[in-house]
Amino acid sequence: MRFEIMNAGTVKLCASLCMWLGIVTWIGNVKLHLWSVFVQQSAERDVVFSVLNEQVNVSKRHATENAGLRDGKTFNIRSPVIRNNVIEHRVFWSAWLDGLSTRVFDVEHERKWREQVRDARVVVLEAGCGRPTNRIATFADGTRACVRYGIDADQVLGETLSYYLAELLGISNLPPLALSKLNLSSEQWASVRGNIEALEWSPNAIVSLTEFIPNVTGVFIPLHLRKQQGGGLQLSAETVSNMTVTYLVELMQWSDLIIFDYLTANFDRIVSHIFSLQWDARVMERTTNNLLKTNNGHLLFIDNEAGLVHGYRVLYLWERYHRLLLSSSCIFRRSTVRRISEMKRSGNSAKLLCELYRAREPLARELGSLSQEHALTLQNRIDVVYKHIKQCTEIM
């Protein structure tokens, strides 16, 4: 009986010990679990803060350089993050760099400018804007424009169609343009009738008006393009590290200009420099024809009278140099490549161009448009540029 009582007491004690041991073990497991959760969450917070700090640092670096570009300052590209973001897939200017290059002329500004000057009264005509037959017009409200009176109507047509082709390509470096008829009895031209008669401009001739941009400077062909010998403009990481952001943004505009001048067959800008190398070894050290730069680094593609019509007519004289210029660049803006690809696929670039031109210009039908032969030439040149871009991507 005593033995049984002792056994019962022992059993109760063992049970109590086991219960307490279980409770202690459970509490320990809970603490261990809570600690592991705490450590894991702390680690995750550290990773998150690290990523956020890196994003903030990158944003600050980009913001500093963007602010510098807007202020007209230049900065060396030293940071690996930025250097690696200048060119994508070796043939495209990066989205980051492209984002630094705003439109030269805003779409709404262009629309308002055209509407404003079409009927505005001209009060002064004075020398300027290139060719001796051209003039700077001052309107009654103080607005100024370059009046281009072509040697023949084809030059005015070439200037106008080049402007609208640039719009199709998404290239905004051409000053706003509008057409006007020299009706000497109209309110627009009556005040300067004596000047027009002295210039021997034909009454009722159609002239182009382009916005006059003050405080501009001449532009030299970039050294990296001058040194190319058919190999194309290629920028290595080492080369890029020595360039400023401002210079790279300018090179990006040059890549658009090269494509634009090839499509329009404009020989009166860079091609004439290349041609002159035959007898003038230092021609590349002088400023480029019909190309200006604003204070904030925008290039202005001005005086495109040789484009499309006249340029196509004398193509046999210049094509060798046009091809040489096109081959000088193998880096492109993605948006320009996209437009070229769309025009290649459509197969009707001239039709798209003429539709835009006629929709915007009340005098379009009177001035005329591309001939069927020149329409085919434009499409052929679109195809050549498309092929060149494709070859660049394959080579690289």
Side-chain angles (χ1 to χ4, degrees), residues 129-140:
C129 294
R131 186 179 289 111
T133 56
N134 295 339
R135 285 293 182 269
I136 300 176
T138 302
F139 298 94

Side-chain angles (χ1 to χ4, degrees), residues 111-178:
R111 183 189 66 79
K112 288 182 178 178
W113 192 89
R114 284 195 300 268
E115 292 178 356
Q116 177 184 353
V117 302
R118 278 204 176 103
D119 300 314
R121 184 166 62 91
V122 179
V123 294
V124 177
L125 275 181
E126 54 190 321
C129 294
R131 186 179 289 111
T133 56
N134 295 339
R135 285 293 182 269
I136 300 176
T138 302
F139 298 94
D141 64 356
T143 301
R144 305 176 82 194
C146 287
V147 184
R148 289 189 167 84
Y149 176 88
I151 296 173
D152 55 42
D154 282 350
Q155 290 186 319
V156 177
L157 178 60
E159 172 88 15
T160 307
L161 291 178
S162 293
Y163 172 76
Y164 286 108
L165 178 62
E167 186 167 334
L168 280 181
L169 294 168
I171 296 173
S172 65
N173 298 77
L174 284 68
L177 176 147

Side-chain angles (χ1 to χ4, degrees), residues 41 43 96 109 115 135 145 157 170 185 191 199 252 258 270 286 290 303-304 310 331 341 345 353 358 373 384 389:
Q41 289 178 343
W96 170 78
H109 167 77
E115 292 178 356
R135 285 293 182 269
L157 178 60
S185 60
S191 298
L199 290 167
M252 187 162 53
I258 288 169
I270 315 165
R286 292 192 283 276
N290 302 320
D303 199 352
N304 297 285
H310 187 51
I331 304 176
S341 300
R345 285 195 300 270
L353 173 60
R358 287 171 179 166
E373 179 185 357
V384 169
I389 294 170

Side-chain angles (χ1 to χ4, degrees), residues 169-380:
L169 294 168
I171 296 173
S172 65
N173 298 77
L174 284 68
L177 176 147
L179 295 177
S180 178
K181 181 185 283 192
L182 294 176
N183 182 351
L184 303 187
S185 60
S186 68
E187 184 179 353
Q188 182 172 31
W189 297 104
S191 298
V192 291
R193 178 171 184 160
N195 300 82
I196 292 174
E197 290 174 342
L199 290 167
E200 298 183 347
W201 286 359
S202 300
N204 295 317
I206 296 175
V207 296
S208 67
L209 307 173
T210 56
E211 184 175 2
F212 177 78
I213 311 298
N215 305 319
V216 292
T217 57
V219 182
F220 294 92
I221 295 176
L223 189 61
H224 292 85
L225 287 174
R226 286 186 239 167
K227 289 185 175 181
Q228 301 309 313
Q229 297 179 348
L233 170 61
Q234 300 303 332
L235 303 179
S236 64
E238 294 74 18
T239 306
V240 169
S241 67
N242 293 320
M243 294 181 180
T244 64
V245 174
T246 302
Y247 182 68
L248 285 164
V249 170
E250 183 174 325
L251 279 181
M252 187 162 53
Q253 294 175 81
W254 272 91
S255 66
D256 274 350
L257 176 59
I258 288 169
I259 288 177
F260 178 66
D261 274 2
Y262 181 80
L263 292 178
T264 60
N266 190 337
F267 56 84
D268 198 16
R269 196 164 8 238
I270 315 165
V271 165
S272 60
H273 270 46
I274 299 174
F275 176 75
S276 298
L277 279 171
Q278 298 173 85
W279 55 77
D280 185 357
R282 304 190 66 178
V283 66
M284 292 294 186
E285 298 174 19
R286 292 192 283 276
T287 56
T288 310
N289 298 335
N290 302 320
L291 186 65
L292 298 172
K293 186 192 297 185
T294 66
N295 289 335
N296 57 10
H298 288 139
L299 299 184
L300 302 179
F301 309 169
I302 64 165
D303 199 352
N304 297 285
E305 294 170 311
L308 289 169
V309 185
H310 187 51
Y312 285 1
R313 185 176 295 122
V314 295
L315 198 54
Y316 65 97
L317 295 173
W318 300 97
E319 182 61 5
R320 172 188 171 189
Y321 306 101
H322 287 305
R323 291 291 183 110
L324 190 60
L325 175 61
L326 181 63
S327 69
S328 70
S329 177
C330 249
I331 304 176
F332 316 98
R333 200 192 293 250
R334 281 186 182 275
S335 58
T336 307
V337 172
R338 185 170 60 252
R339 300 290 183 96
I340 291 290
S341 300
E342 291 169 355
M343 295 170 81
K344 157 72 176 174
R345 285 195 300 270
S346 73
N348 61 351
S349 302
K351 181 181 177 183
L352 295 174
L353 173 60
C354 291
E355 286 176 350
L356 177 62
Y357 159 58
R358 287 171 179 166
R360 298 282 177 81
E361 288 297 338
L363 294 171
R365 295 190 181 278
E366 189 171 341
L367 181 61
S369 191
L370 287 178
S371 67
Q372 184 62 34
E373 179 185 357
H374 289 168
L376 291 173
T377 301
L378 173 59
Q379 190 60 50
N380 288 338

